[in-house]
């Protein structure tokens, strides 16, 4: 499926983490949209008038709908399954969690902002 994508969707409930990530991405000139949980992210992704993100940066632990439930739902949706996901987790087993979630990568919190840009870069070209 070939689609035109635009920027990053950051799905994160921690306001301080979200603010820092958004600031770094916007400083790089990247379009950024945000969602406070998986359910809000799905609503944005299913909006026919909104551009699809090139990559989703997904926290795993959130209220309402956590990252695991979001990812399971995303993978079952043929219109959303192709969007790559990079996980955000405080867990030391980030790589293992990415494999289980069939994610394209994982970043451990607190996020190294240089590593964030390096990780997302290939999806934004």
């Amino acid at each position: 499926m070939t689609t035109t994508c635009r920027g990053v969707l950051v799905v994160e409930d921690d306001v301080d983490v979200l603010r820092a990530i958004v600031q770094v991405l916007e400083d790089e000139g990247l379009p950024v949209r945000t969602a406070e949980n998986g359910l809000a992210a799905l609503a944005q992704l299913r909006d026919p008038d909104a551009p699809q993100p090139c990559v989703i940066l997904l926290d795993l632990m959130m209220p309402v709908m956590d990252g695991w439930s979001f990812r399971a739902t995303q993978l079952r949706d043929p219109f959303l399954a192709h969007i790559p996901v990079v996980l955000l987790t405080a867990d030391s087993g980030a790589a293992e969690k990415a494999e289980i979630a069939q994610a394209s990568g994982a970043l451990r919190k607190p996020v190294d902002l240089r590593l964030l840009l390096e990780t997302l870069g290939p999806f934004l070209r």
Side-chain angles (χ1 to χ4, degrees), residues 57-79:
L57 192 57
L58 178 66
D59 184 19
L60 286 178
M61 302 302 296
M62 297 176 287
V64 182
M65 177 185 267
D66 66 18
W68 293 108
S69 297
F70 168 86
R71 186 66 176 142
T73 303
Q74 180 200 10
L75 288 170
R76 287 191 307 267
D77 186 323
F79 296 105

Side-chain angles (χ1 to χ4, degrees), residues 56 58 60 67-68 70-76 80-87 94-106 123:
I56 299 168
L58 178 66
L60 286 178
W68 293 108
F70 168 86
R71 186 66 176 142
T73 303
Q74 180 200 10
L75 288 170
R76 287 191 307 267
L80 304 178
H82 69 281
I83 303 170
V85 170
V86 173
L87 301 181
E96 293 81 11
K97 289 189 183 311
E99 187 175 330
I100 293 166
Q102 300 175 47
S104 298
F123 303 107

Side-chain angles (χ1 to χ4, degrees), residues 3-10 30-33 45 50-57 71 74 80-86 104 119-125:
T3 60
T4 301
C5 66
R6 183 168 157 83
V8 182
L9 172 60
V10 183
L30 297 170
V32 181
R33 288 188 294 153
L45 291 167
Q52 293 291 300
C54 298
V55 63
I56 299 168
L57 192 57
R71 186 66 176 142
Q74 180 200 10
L80 304 178
H82 69 281
I83 303 170
V85 170
V86 173
S104 298
T119 302
L120 296 181
F123 303 107
L124 300 168
R125 294 190 175 114

Side-chain angles (χ1 to χ4, degrees), residues 15 18 27 39 42 45 49 72 86 110 115 117-118 120 122:
V15 176
L18 180 65
D27 284 352
L39 197 59
L42 286 171
L45 291 167
D49 297 323
V86 173
L115 184 57
L117 293 173
E118 288 175 9
L120 296 181

